[in-house]
Amino acid sequence: MRRAIEIENKNTATKGKNIMAGTKSLFIPGPTNVPHRIRQAVDLPMEDQRAPDLPTFTLPLFEDLKKIFKTRSGQVFLFPSSGTGGWEAAMANTLSPGDKVLASRFGQFSHLWVDLCQRHGYDVEVIDVEWGEGVPVEQYAKRLAADTGHEIKAVLACHNETATGVTSDVAGVRKALNAAKHPALLFVDGVSSIASIDFRMDEWGVDVAVSGSQKGFMIPAGLAILCVSQKALDARRRADTPRCYFDFEDMIKTNKDGYFPYTPPMSLIRGLRVSVDMLLEEGLENVFARHRRLAEGVRRAVDAWGLSLCAMEAKWHSDTVSAICVPEGFNSADVLKIAYLRYGLSLGAGLSKVAGKVFRIGHLGDLNELMLMSALSGAEMAMRDIGIPVEAGSGVAAAEEYYRHTARPIDLSLDTAAAR
Ligand SMILES: Cc1ncc(COP(=O)(O)O)c(C=O)c1O
């Protein structure tokens, strides 16, 4: 039986009022913290989406977005939508009802993607994998090799399963397709990986990549950001899934001149411009390394707490989100409740099959060591508050030491006297 929260609120002055000074801490795996520069960029007077000079802004943005996806030949689309709309656009433009799709399910988001495909009438062959593992590349390879008649039209890979904190081997899926000389289109959900974890559209032969604005791109929710290969663009001519709002055709016709087929969310797109600038200024490889290092500090903390990750092996470890298992007899929802109500810290909930069993720390986007240390500290306090036997300060100390020992070199010769 799970223990109920038995924490007494001793501060009678604020009891029940939830008064809290200072800022709340957002450590869910998206939406992520929006950097000040982007907040300023989206805080704009409304503008004319048909202005004659709009293309001087939009056309270079479309080009620069290709750098984020690491593609030369792919085409980027921006739909006013969340990531789910990105899935819908991806499938509806390239497939017809009845088409065979090979997918795997190992978390809430890979599950929802399968569900969307089934509701569109595709014939989805689902390989169920234990939650905590990722795309079963070897099983995909066998299935593709056996499909000599090329019945399978699409292969799905959820690059980063946000519900379990698992990153999969997309390059491995491409290898499996190539080894079988299979022409199926490769679809990748990169909603919680792209712009945070290395992603290579061209090198991995990805046909459609789906992302969203509210995670690695650090913008408010509301933009689905897609990248589509020429092969997948050709497939739209045969695909007869009904579509209108998400039709690539209308986007292609208007985007080529720097416009959109309907009212675009210009403030988000202005924010996206700054997001891309910030990612390219830091350098994509540095962005990935920063996420890897921050994630490793969280993993050290989890080890020090004596807890385990939902991701079953190191090869699955996600650099954008860690799903942390609470010990038997505890409910992870209690950790979330205390963290939020008492410490103003939002952590990610355990979803569906792992509800009550894991809580998640999102460590992606505009983030540094000290910001993350506050989440580790809050998680540690909330766990202790509900009686989970983690040693006070243990996780924080482990992360702290890791960050100290891997800190970037600084120029100690700088004269700071003027600042004193
Ligand atoms: C991996 C993944 N795919 C898809 C989605 C769905 O995106 P949205 O909630 O923006 O519709 C999410 C959302 O968290 C996600 O993490």
Side-chain angles (χ1 to χ4, degrees):
M1 211 185 72
R2 297 194 186 281
R3 288 188 209 171
I5 303 178
E6 290 162 1
I7 306 298
E8 196 192 337
N9 190 348
K10 295 201 177 81
N11 186 345
T12 48
T14 58
K15 190 169 182 174
K17 289 187 187 156
N18 262 332
I19 293 170
M20 187 173 294
T23 50
K24 286 192 173 168
S25 308
L26 187 66
F27 283 88
I28 56 173
T32 61
N33 297 293
V34 178
H36 186 61
R37 247 174 99 182
I38 294 182
R39 290 213 299 268
Q40 283 182 314
V42 301
D43 181 12
L44 283 174
M46 285 305 99
E47 63 181 302
D48 173 5
Q49 79 272 16
R50 297 186 216 287
D53 61 353
L54 192 71
T56 62
F57 166 73
T58 47
L59 294 175
L61 176 61
F62 294 146
E63 276 310 302
D64 284 345
L65 275 163
K66 291 187 191 177
K67 298 177 191 160
I68 308 294
F69 286 90
K70 297 194 177 170
T71 185
R72 282 176 188 280
S73 54
Q75 179 159 355
V76 172
F77 295 104
L78 304 177
F79 285 101
S81 158
S82 72
T84 305
W87 281 339
E88 184 143 327
M91 311 321 291
N93 281 281
T94 51
L95 299 177
S96 302
D99 276 355
K100 197 164 188 64
V101 173
L102 178 63
S104 45
R105 184 161 50 192
F106 41 83
Q108 180 65 358
F109 295 102
S110 42
H111 159 73
L112 288 173
W113 198 8
V114 165
D115 177 54
L116 180 138
C117 290
Q118 287 170 336
R119 291 203 228 171
H120 273 293
Y122 310 132
D123 173 12
V124 192
E125 181 175 332
V126 186
I127 302 179
D128 270 303
V129 177
E130 205 167 336
W131 287 33
E133 296 186 10
V135 174
V137 173
E138 282 169 22
Q139 288 186 64
Y140 270 24
K142 278 194 200 134
R143 190 59 196 85
L144 290 166
D147 182 36
T148 49
H150 297 162
E151 292 291 312
I152 297 169
K153 301 293 176 227
V155 175
L156 310 193
C158 182
H159 189 199
N160 191 74
E161 174 51 80
T162 321
T164 55
V166 160
T167 302
S168 285
D169 177 13
V170 177
V173 178
R174 167 46 62 199
K175 261 193 215 149
L177 278 157
N178 289 354
K181 297 196 171 48
H182 203 295
L185 296 170
L186 173 56
F187 291 74
V188 175
D189 175 336
V191 172
S192 60
S193 61
I194 290 168
S196 310
I197 295 174
D198 195 11
F199 176 80
R200 308 177 187 189
M201 180 90 187
D202 286 359
E203 191 181 317
W204 297 346
V206 174
D207 291 297
V208 188
V210 177
S211 193
S213 51
Q214 77 276 23
K215 299 191 194 260
F217 284 99
M218 309 169 285
I219 322 171
L223 275 182
I225 305 168
L226 275 80
C227 192
V228 183
S229 73
Q230 292 304 318
K231 181 175 159 189
L233 285 177
D234 287 346
R236 81 183 188 280
R237 300 183 215 284
R238 300 180 294 279
D240 59 14
T241 302
R243 55 189 184 271
C244 168
Y245 186 74
F246 287 121
D247 203 327
F248 287 167
E249 198 62 42
D250 299 325
M251 276 286 173
I252 291 169
K253 281 187 189 143
T254 47
N255 281 181
K256 80 175 174 14
D257 299 320
Y259 296 99
F260 298 88
Y262 35 71
T263 313
M266 278 313 300
S267 48
L268 293 178
I269 298 173
R270 291 279 172 189
L272 182 61
R273 173 71 264 175
V274 178
S275 159
V276 170
D277 287 345
M278 288 177 72
L279 291 165
L280 297 179
E281 280 163 20
E282 184 175 352
L284 276 185
E285 303 314 312
N286 296 331
V287 171
F288 305 147
R290 173 168 56 83
H291 281 81
R292 198 170 317 122
R293 176 168 169 270
L294 291 176
E296 183 55 32
V298 174
R299 294 191 276 264
R300 301 280 172 121
V302 173
D303 270 354
W305 288 330
L307 301 179
S308 56
L309 291 170
C310 183
M312 284 173 180
E313 286 177 57
K315 69 173 179 181
W316 304 122
H317 284 170
S318 164
D319 288 338
T320 56
V321 53
S322 294
I324 299 157
C325 304
V326 294
E328 197 58 41
F330 292 93
N331 186 342
S332 62
D334 292 339
V335 178
L336 258 78
K337 200 188 272 180
I338 290 283
Y340 183 77
L341 293 177
R342 183 165 282 171
Y343 303 116
L345 167 66
S346 285
L347 299 166
L351 301 173
S352 177
K353 255 193 203 178
V354 289
K357 296 182 179 152
V358 307
F359 69 89
R360 295 172 299 152
I361 300 181
H363 32 81
L364 72 165
D366 184 42
L367 209 60
N368 60 35
E369 299 93 326
L370 288 193
M371 291 164 82
L372 199 44
M373 294 296 292
S374 72
L376 293 174
S377 169
E380 197 167 280
M381 290 195 287
M383 284 194 286
R384 286 177 56 76
D385 285 353
I386 67 160
I388 296 179
V390 295
E391 199 180 319
S394 56
V396 169
E400 210 175 270
E401 285 309 279
Y402 177 74
Y403 295 142
R404 282 184 56 245
H405 290 300
T406 56
R408 69 192 155 87
I410 47 169
D411 184 356
L412 287 171
S413 69
L414 281 178
D415 182 3
T416 52
R420 285 200 288 268

